[in-house]
Amino acid sequence: MLLRDVNISAAVLLLWVQALHGSALPAVSSYEFTAYRMQQYNLAQQKHGCRGAIVVAEARSADEPSLTRRCVIMKVPDFTTEKYLQAQKQHAAAVLILLPRNISSVPFDTIKNFMRSERDALLKETLMPVYVVPEDEQMLYMYEEVKQAAAMHASSIFIRVLRSMVTATAFQILVSNNAPIKAVTDNAVVTLEGVLPGIGEDAPTIVLTAHYDSFGLVPWLSYGADSNGSGVTILLELARLFQKLYSSPHTRPPFHLMFSLTGGGKYNFLGTKRWIEENLDHAESSLLQDNVAFVLCLDTLANSDELYMHVSRPPKPDTPMQAFIHLLEEVVSSRFPWVKVGLIHKKINLVDSSVAWEHERYSLRKIPGFTLSRLEDPRSELRGSILDTLSQVDLRKLKRNGMIVAEALARYMYNLSDKGSPKDVQVFKGQMEFHDGRLSSLMSVLTSVPRASQLLDREPSHVLLVNSLEHEFKRYLQQVCRHTFQQDKRDPDITFFDQMNQPIVMYRVKPAAFDLFLGGCIAAYLGIVYYAIQNFGDLYTKLKAAVKSKHQ
């Protein structure tokens, strides 16, 4: 009977130890998942992103006071510039960011703060590996465990030591790929162009352009819905609508309408630069060499009630660009008076090798152009983030902004103002209107795969996306051309690096103190059992006397 009581007491002790570590979420002893490394690239001799990939470190919360040689686990709200720099300052082994599956559930202020920190992190290079992984049950379990461990530092010393010895679970993060990171200098940039020829051989040309690649902390999670899936979507819809006008000799205007989709837009508009050089310096005949009225660049237009026209120099009076800008303002004031319209003049810094907007590439070659965007600042964090997903797009405002561009173009190309047409005239309506279903479908296709420049000419699904865009051009435009520009390996404009996605193993282990504690519990239990056996007679006599006195 006594031995049974001893066994029960020991079992209760072990159950208590286990209960202290209980959790509502299960966790396996080891778990393998794919994580995506922060992009690494060199642009104009400047290095950006993280240069490290290998991680062998214990997982810790960003709230821990000491992060040295630890892998810092963060959720989206945790990832701030201050915490990121703190991890760098303490020489953390790595940073692992958990990305929520449903971005729409994240508050807008949290998204903005993350985007700012994302932008700041990419401004310079770091040796500290930074990885992003989509959340799942095991990742969330690990996050909660390291978060609880960090919270225990606010408890008394005795409680902290007890938990460390008894209940603490350590998570070891391992990236074991020992292959060196290699530069990738053979990237190809693809630019698509197509034309709707106007009446007359000497007709001036209007160029509509948008860059189609995306940008963010990690290439494999950069979907670029607003920046610049919105610009591409509007451009493709403009091609469809104007193709109907150009298909009839009675409605074909005296303007050549040229469309282009350019790559490398997130990296100094490299594709635009190469395409302009191809048309001006190497082609025997090109519409860019003739009479160009203006170039309209579409960039980030899927939200907000603000529209800004960015120019390198103020448009001169009685020029085509000045007339079009006036008509665009007229469309807004007559049909959408709640939309704010502004003209922003920013000179090009010839000393700086980088450009802020796509139209600056044309301005450098004396071609008049401007960029239409909902963003006022070219350095806005909204222009490149892994949180720029389809959930951030307002299709109603995307449609409205597209209709503003379409109506202003029609008024300019058909000279409706001089013909006495009312200011609120609507050219595109009924079957000639932007289709909600088509806008939604185009945005879904564009955000179905990441469009980062590092991936577009390498992965089959990404190559297929570019082919789909080319197919859209061929449906509505004539003289469709595909230009593929290979990088100069000896002196590349931009250098990317490989190992953008890595298999990571998470091990769940107990600290050494736990083994010592458990060994002590077992030794104590065996000691009690041995003592009870050796002194069974005395113990039995004392116990019998105690029971007898109790009954009396």
Side-chain angles (χ1 to χ4, degrees), residues 246-484:
Y246 275 76
S247 62
S248 172
H250 302 290
T251 56
R252 183 180 301 172
F255 288 90
H256 300 308
L257 198 54
M258 191 175 193
F259 296 81
S260 71
L261 288 177
T262 59
K266 301 301 185 180
Y267 301 95
N268 216 12
F269 298 97
L270 176 61
T272 306
K273 174 187 175 185
R274 295 289 184 85
W275 183 67
I276 294 174
E277 291 172 350
E278 179 77 12
N279 279 272
L280 295 184
D281 301 336
H282 304 297
E284 294 182 1
S285 176
S286 169
L287 290 178
L288 284 184
Q289 296 173 340
D290 301 325
N291 180 18
V292 177
F294 56 84
V295 178
L296 171 57
C297 308
L298 305 172
D299 192 330
T300 316
L301 291 162
N303 221 319
S304 180
D305 288 328
E306 299 175 345
L307 285 176
Y308 298 97
M309 293 166 283
H310 299 270
V311 298
S312 299
R313 56 178 64 90
K316 296 180 180 179
D318 301 324
T319 59
M321 192 167 79
Q322 191 272 340
F324 175 79
I325 290 176
H326 172 73
L327 290 172
L328 190 144
E329 293 172 338
E330 186 178 271
V331 171
V332 172
S333 62
S334 62
R335 293 190 55 192
F336 310 100
W338 61 89
V339 177
K340 174 187 175 182
V341 179
L343 182 70
I344 299 179
H345 170 218
K346 173 189 169 297
K347 291 184 178 180
I348 300 176
N349 185 0
L350 298 177
V351 178
D352 192 353
S353 58
S354 62
V355 295
W357 297 103
E358 188 172 7
H359 74 268
E360 295 180 11
R361 284 295 181 194
Y362 293 90
S363 298
L364 288 171
R365 300 300 298 263
K366 309 300 182 182
I367 300 175
F370 70 99
T371 296
L372 183 67
S373 176
R374 72 179 182 90
L375 301 178
E376 184 176 6
D377 187 353
R379 298 167 298 179
S380 171
E381 63 277 1
L382 299 173
R383 295 187 73 191
S385 173
I386 58 176
L387 298 189
D388 182 13
T389 61
L390 191 57
S391 63
Q392 305 303 309
V393 169
D394 189 328
L395 289 175
R396 294 172 301 174
K397 294 180 179 179
L398 175 67
K399 177 181 179 179
R400 179 202 65 202
N401 292 338
M403 290 302 297
I404 289 173
V405 175
E407 292 289 343
L409 275 173
R411 293 187 187 194
Y412 175 77
M413 295 165 66
Y414 293 99
N415 197 20
L416 296 182
S417 296
D418 291 347
K419 293 179 180 179
S421 299
K423 290 185 178 182
D424 60 349
V425 63
Q426 187 174 349
V427 177
F428 297 97
K429 55 185 176 181
Q431 293 298 320
M432 290 290 290
E433 195 175 17
F434 273 57
H435 288 173
D436 294 338
R438 180 171 162 81
L439 289 174
S440 178
S441 177
L442 286 172
M443 286 298 302
S444 297
V445 170
L446 287 168
T447 57
S448 61
V449 294
R451 303 190 312 279
S453 297
Q454 297 96 320
L455 309 175
L456 283 168
D457 68 325
R458 296 181 176 277
E459 300 296 325
S461 58
H462 305 80
V463 174
L464 181 62
L465 176 63
V466 178
N467 293 339
S468 298
L469 294 175
E470 184 178 11
H471 175 71
E472 285 292 311
F473 263 38
K474 290 181 178 179
R475 286 179 63 186
Y476 304 113
L477 306 177
Q478 300 178 25
Q479 306 171 25
V480 174
C481 298
R482 176 173 178 152
H483 303 268
T484 302

Side-chain angles (χ1 to χ4, degrees), residues 488-500:
D488 186 348
K489 294 184 178 181
R490 295 168 298 178
D491 186 23
D493 295 276
I494 184 169
T495 303
F496 296 118
F497 293 84
D498 60 7
Q499 298 190 33
M500 288 294 99

Side-chain angles (χ1 to χ4, degrees), residues 196-218:
L196 290 173
I199 296 177
E201 294 183 358
D202 298 328
T205 300
I206 296 174
V207 181
L208 302 179
T209 183
H211 68 277
Y212 59 81
D213 56 322
S214 59
F215 184 80
L217 193 69
V218 294

